Amino acid sequence: MTPTPDPTLPALSGYPRADGRKGIRNLVAVVYTVECAHHVARMVVNSFPGQPVHLIGFPGCYPNDYADRVMKQLVTHPNVGAVLVVGLGCESFDRRGLADAVDASGRPVHAITIQENRGTRTSVASGVEWVRWALEAIAAQPRVPMGIEELIVATICGGSDSTSGITANPAVGVAFDRLVAGGAACIFEETGELVGCEFHMKRRAATPALGDAIVRCVDKAARYYTVLGHGSFAPGNADGGLTTQEEKSLGAYAKSGASPIVGILKPGDRPQVGGLYLLDVVPDGEVRFGFPNISDNAEIVELLSCGAHVTLFTTGRGSVVGSALAPVIKVCANPATYERLAEDMDVNAGRILTGEATLQQVGDEIVALVARVANGEETCSEALGHQEFILTYKQFEPSGPGCFPLRAA
């Protein structure tokens, strides 16, 4: 189906990258390649308060294919204009390969090895000097026109309560349907929170093979959580009025809207065409790394590794987190929560509950805000300086050919 132009959406603009993608932000990423280099990297970033310099990194010393893949996708994310890599020197993580990936992408890159650079003070000083140069270099880059079909929008829910599944989540589903119809790529997650919804998703799959793959993904998640003796239903959900795992799953599922599902992604996979995608975040193979995601920010990082320009974060109980590298738009489900945390929330979907707005109106409001944020407007979490980031160990096998669309849906 050919995407339908949406004349009500404002024109978008972005920063062009050598690989043909465009970013909605233009920032310097300072990257540590082991926890031992974290402090030095943070000291560099702290020298640029209020400026577009973001800190990300991988704490583990030992190599991990998943972390390597995710990090390489992050340092070449379209919102990143330049990269400083900070390593200790004896870690096993491939810091040189990371710097090479940035260089191959056409971005300015500089690497500091603390053990070879006379320690903390000297490394911080040289890092600050390079970042100062990089900020000046990327500031000269102009924005260019960007189509809605070049935009990747993700969604996640956190701190869900009894209002999430009837206000914020379905409102995001309305927004997703409109964005997908316009040609954007939209990504929803998490298979561990969609147990029981697999056959609903199978009926929406673009192909029978994809439908079968969706069922296998959710079955894998159910087995994984069974081994752990843990599910996605948390005490905070119960305190917020959710009663069962099924109720939470259906609420989470509502974020996906009603568009056909055209593909399954794993962390680091990028949509090549527009449409609706499911992100599989549960590791493959034996259970060996513990909980698939120890916080909402771990999932945001995986969505960013798939190229997401912006993430729609729905919450009923309330959450104040944002993200490094890309804006987070908070869609608040509960009107009482919005009243308490108004300066952290971007959209009050609780107005649906009070009768002040319809589902369609809030969905349209979300789409309009996505467009404004894509054009440079700050989200609440950005204005407050939130740049949360976390990356741990996982293992994934490559997705099968039936998981990717042959053409736009």
Side-chain angles (χ1 to χ4, degrees), residues 306-332:
C306 296
H309 292 92
V310 61
T311 298
L312 304 175
F313 190 127
T314 68
T315 183
R317 298 297 304 278
S319 173
V320 301
V321 300
S323 176
L325 304 190
V328 171
I329 293 175
K330 292 287 181 38
V331 183
C332 187

Side-chain angles (χ1 to χ4, degrees), residues 264-290:
I264 299 172
L265 304 173
K266 293 185 180 182
D269 292 335
R270 297 205 313 255
Q272 299 301 309
V273 297
L276 179 66
Y277 294 80
L278 171 65
L279 176 61
D280 176 12
V281 301
V282 176
D284 293 322
E286 297 180 4
V287 178
R288 64 176 67 181
F289 297 121

Side-chain angles (χ1 to χ4, degrees), residues 138-370:
I138 66 175
Q141 189 171 19
R143 296 181 76 111
V144 300
M146 177 178 177
I148 187 71
E149 72 281 357
E150 298 177 88
L151 194 65
I152 302 178
V153 182
T155 188
I156 178 177
C157 50
S160 299
D161 71 4
S162 59
T163 68
S164 297
I166 56 178
T167 60
N169 289 358
V172 166
V174 169
F176 260 29
D177 287 341
R178 189 171 162 201
L179 290 165
V180 167
C186 292
I187 309 171
F188 72 107
E189 51 68 59
E190 150 197 13
T191 47
E193 288 195 347
L194 294 169
V195 175
C197 298
E198 56 268 37
F199 291 100
H200 296 295
M201 291 187 286
K202 180 178 181 177
R203 286 192 289 270
R204 292 170 57 192
T207 66
L210 177 61
D212 291 339
I214 289 172
V215 172
R216 290 194 297 272
C217 274
V218 179
D219 285 347
K220 177 186 69 169
R223 289 193 302 272
Y224 199 101
Y225 280 115
T226 297
V227 171
L228 287 176
H230 168 77
S232 68
F233 194 91
N237 300 140
D239 291 343
L242 285 171
T243 59
T244 63
Q245 176 68 58
E246 290 80 3
E247 185 180 12
K248 183 179 181 183
S249 291
L250 287 169
Y253 175 61
K255 301 195 307 298
S256 67
S259 302
I261 300 170
V262 301
I264 299 172
L265 304 173
K266 293 185 180 182
D269 292 335
R270 297 205 313 255
Q272 299 301 309
V273 297
L276 179 66
Y277 294 80
L278 171 65
L279 176 61
D280 176 12
V281 301
V282 176
D284 293 322
E286 297 180 4
V287 178
R288 64 176 67 181
F289 297 121
F291 297 148
N293 282 307
I294 61 176
S295 74
D296 294 323
N297 281 95
E299 292 176 64
I300 293 176
V301 167
E302 292 179 327
L303 291 163
L304 296 184
S305 77
C306 296
H309 292 92
V310 61
T311 298
L312 304 175
F313 190 127
T314 68
T315 183
R317 298 297 304 278
S319 173
V320 301
V321 300
S323 176
L325 304 190
V328 171
I329 293 175
K330 292 287 181 38
V331 183
C332 187
N334 191 318
T337 302
Y338 183 86
E339 185 176 349
R340 289 195 307 273
L341 299 172
E343 70 173 15
D344 286 277
M345 300 296 150
D346 298 284
V347 178
N348 181 9
R351 290 161 30 237
I352 298 167
L353 200 63
T354 60
E356 300 170 77
T358 66
L359 198 60
Q360 185 66 49
Q361 287 171 333
V362 176
D364 290 343
E365 181 181 337
I366 293 168
V367 171
L369 181 55
V370 167

